[in-house]
Amino acid sequence: MDASVEAALRKWPAVPACRGWLGLDARGDWYLRDDACQAAGRFPQPKGSRLEHAGLIAFIGRNYAADADGAWFFQNGPQRVYVELEAAPWILGVQATGAEGGWRVQTHTGLDAGPVRQAWSDEQGRLFLDTALGLGLVRSADMHAAADALLAAAWSLAETRHADLLQAHGLCLSPQAAR
């Protein structure tokens, strides 16, 4: 977490959290969702306005975490901004490293996700990985590399339902709905 965020938390410890205003889609893009967007439906339909400012995106990524209930948030100074998730808290990129059997898995925030412990395919055919950072969805653009890793037996693959996967990992996709 940024030092400026930690300082703001100490100075204003009781700022109420907000929900519904920020979303993370299955491609790893952040979306702002104003009142009109929220009134039109639950994330991801409609999504809202895609964030494009690199500095803001990096700031969100550095201050992105989960609470004890499995709801993910962005700590914006003293205010906790809960995130509506389309599929998982981490959106993962997969690249072959060039070393035999080597695969690099990186989050949408740029973190190294560490080793893959398990891979799952859900009822929609999406690929999820359990990594050192937790559960993540493989970006559609990286499915070829992930398929190569599976064919090389780098990861063990099982089938599951998305709801069961979320429950097993203690994740909340919609902090606004759970409230």
Side-chain angles (χ1 to χ4, degrees):
M1 193 175 298
D2 287 1
S4 63
V5 171
E6 290 174 348
L9 279 168
R10 285 190 299 276
K11 188 171 182 178
W12 300 289
V15 174
C18 72
R19 290 170 174 77
W21 284 84
L22 185 63
L24 177 67
D25 77 356
R27 292 181 179 212
D29 291 326
W30 299 103
Y31 287 84
L32 286 179
R33 306 185 75 242
D34 62 14
D35 283 333
C37 181
Q38 291 179 52
R42 248 178 96 182
F43 189 76
Q45 295 301 326
K47 285 186 177 182
S49 301
R50 185 173 165 263
L51 292 179
E52 296 184 17
H53 189 278
L56 177 57
I57 293 167
F59 181 68
I60 292 171
R62 289 192 310 271
N63 296 287
Y64 181 58
D67 69 12
D69 296 322
W72 285 75
F73 62 90
F74 151 54
Q75 191 68 46
N76 183 24
Q79 185 172 51
R80 188 170 280 192
V81 179
Y82 281 95
V83 178
E84 298 293 302
L85 304 171
E86 183 173 348
W90 299 112
I91 307 303
L92 305 172
V94 178
Q95 300 86 30
T97 63
E100 187 166 328
W103 305 95
R104 180 172 184 218
V105 179
Q106 189 174 30
T107 70
H108 66 283
T109 64
L111 297 175
D112 181 357
V116 173
R117 297 184 282 231
Q118 176 69 44
W120 289 277
S121 175
D122 76 355
E123 67 274 15
Q124 295 179 39
R126 299 177 295 185
L127 182 63
F128 292 84
L129 303 178
D130 181 19
T131 72
L133 294 178
L135 185 69
L137 170 69
V138 174
R139 286 187 309 218
S140 57
D142 290 285
M143 284 300 291
H144 285 289
D148 289 344
L150 289 167
L151 289 171
W155 311 323
S156 173
L157 179 65
E159 291 186 18
T160 190
R161 291 179 359 148
H162 186 234
D164 294 340
L165 198 54
L166 296 174
Q167 183 176 16
H169 285 83
L171 297 173
C172 173
L173 289 185
S174 179
Q176 185 177 27
R179 188 173 176 211

